[in-house]
Amino acid sequence: MPTGLLGAYGFGVAVLLVGIMISVGGILLGTGYALNDRKLKDIGRSELMQSLINGALVGGFVALFASGGIIGVFINSVVLANGTTMTCSGFMAGNTAICFAYDYLVGQGQYEYLGASHSSVLSGVTVAVTGLIAAYAVLGIFKTFLSPLLSQIQSTVQVLGAAAVSVTVQASVLAVAAAGSMTLLLPLGLVLRTFYPVRKLGGFLIALTIGLYLILPLSYVMNATLLSYYASAEAGNGSAQFVFDFNNVEGSLLAYASTGSGNSSIVSALASVGSAVSKQLSNLVNYLFGIMSYFILATFILPAFSLMLTGISVRELSAVLGSDTFLGRTSII
């Protein structure tokens, strides 16, 4: 059973309140029959039914989300099915999907997924920004001739900066979900759903817990799978190709220096240098577009899909739990 701010205590309070409300519902129902009061009978019958439903919810969530429960086994089967390995912080160890999603977004080390070693999105952004700043410093010498290219590098660095902020925020949301969903939101939702005035709010908190603890992190596992088949090879090898072409330029310059003073040799060497430089610049432009598309997909488009999927799931679960009014404005989704 979850522990923490409320944790097991919160579940214990929920169980106690369910027992009390079952008794209250039974008393009201019995009093209604004794007094032959139809309204009192309806109230007692409704409260008794809701209390029994709450009891089933409490027992069901304990069985589903407890350590080694059905949900934990399901999450592990999805995340760890392909030999996945990652490093989990203490408060994330209970949910391998959140742990994987956190490592995928901002993890400091390597993680294994689909039989390959990967770095986090934030690490990739950092490496790309570092390389582009170095390239900008070198190419800035020829600012007069390469102004459009330098402008493109600046735009790419700005996009990557926004991407770094985006993944950091997403990782923070996952950290909060790992720390508080089972220990605070779920017990609080079960407690609130016991009482009629706040029953809708309690149902919404239960649905929100499921969305944050299950749907959202598993959607990031799906995102990582999609990205692994996207242009990751281009994004990962672009900087290596960039250096290789600089070596070609250097080789052409050495060839030029070693030639004689003949015009044909000079023209040939200059043509070789021009070809190498042109190829290098072309590859740099392709590299810029490649990493921009990759990180926009990784940090904006796919996360937006994850949020949409989570929002739809929370909305539908809230409706099942009688709390659709809390997400009434999301009908546009």
Side-chain angles (χ1 to χ4, degrees):
M1 186 177 296
T3 58
L5 185 59
L6 287 178
Y9 177 76
F11 277 90
V13 171
V15 171
L16 178 61
L17 290 177
V18 165
I20 293 174
M21 295 308 296
I22 289 176
S23 300
V24 170
I27 292 172
L28 290 174
L29 184 61
T31 303
Y33 275 107
L35 301 177
N36 197 25
D37 188 326
R38 182 174 181 179
K39 185 176 181 180
L40 197 57
K41 284 192 278 187
D42 290 341
I43 294 174
R45 188 179 295 110
S46 175
E47 285 301 317
L48 184 60
M49 182 63 65
Q50 287 294 333
S51 298
L52 291 174
I53 292 174
N54 288 339
L57 286 174
V58 172
F61 279 115
V62 170
L64 288 173
F65 291 97
S67 179
I70 297 173
I71 294 298
V73 172
F74 169 72
I75 290 175
N76 290 340
S77 67
V78 172
V79 177
L80 304 178
N82 299 296
T84 305
T85 60
M86 60 270 182
T87 303
C88 294
S89 302
F91 65 96
M92 295 185 185
N95 188 327
T96 54
I98 292 181
C99 175
F100 174 85
Y102 190 86
D103 269 10
Y104 155 74
L105 288 173
V106 297
Q108 297 299 312
Q110 298 278 319
Y111 65 92
E112 297 288 333
Y113 186 61
L114 296 177
S117 181
H118 302 271
S119 298
S120 68
V121 175
L122 183 60
S123 296
V125 169
T126 303
V127 171
V129 168
T130 302
L132 289 176
I133 291 176
Y136 187 91
V138 173
L139 297 176
I141 301 173
F142 309 99
K143 184 176 182 179
T144 303
F145 306 100
L146 301 177
S147 180
L149 179 59
L150 294 175
S151 177
Q152 182 61 44
I153 293 177
Q154 287 180 324
S155 300
T156 305
V157 171
Q158 291 175 354
V159 170
L160 294 179
V165 173
S166 175
V167 294
T168 302
V169 172
Q170 294 169 50
S172 300
V173 172
L174 289 169
V176 171
S181 55
M182 288 293 102
T183 60
L184 178 61
L185 290 180
L186 182 57
L188 186 60
L190 292 171
V191 169
L192 292 179
R193 200 181 185 282
T194 306
F195 303 103
Y196 176 77
V198 289
R199 186 163 290 155
K200 291 182 181 295
L201 176 59
F204 170 72
L205 291 179
I206 294 172
L208 182 62
T209 298
I210 296 174
L212 292 176
Y213 191 81
L214 182 63
I215 307 300
L216 183 61
L218 285 180
S219 71
Y220 277 100
V221 177
M222 178 183 64
N223 292 351
T225 303
L226 293 174
L227 280 177
S228 67
Y229 296 110
Y230 187 65
S232 56
E234 178 183 354
N237 295 330
S239 58
Q241 184 65 40
F242 188 48
V243 174
F244 175 77
D245 287 333
F246 263 131
N247 290 336
N248 278 346
V249 173
E250 182 182 4
S252 298
L253 289 172
L254 290 175
Y256 167 71
S258 64
T259 58
S261 59
N263 291 334
S264 60
S265 298
I266 295 176
V267 172
S268 176
L270 289 176
S272 178
V273 172
S275 175
V277 170
S278 175
K279 182 180 178 182
Q280 185 273 332
L281 294 178
S282 176
N283 282 336
L284 177 57
V285 171
N286 292 333
Y287 173 64
L288 293 176
F289 283 110
I291 61 173
M292 283 185 65
S293 61
Y294 177 82
F295 286 115
I296 287 174
L297 178 65
T299 60
F300 296 109
I301 297 177
L302 290 179
F305 176 76
S306 296
L307 290 176
M308 185 179 298
L309 181 62
T310 303
I312 292 173
S313 301
V314 171
R315 185 192 67 186
E316 297 303 321
L317 288 171
S318 294
V320 171
L321 295 169
S323 306
D324 53 301
T325 53
F326 283 89
L327 291 175
R329 293 179 180 274
T330 62
S331 58
I332 191 174
I333 300 179

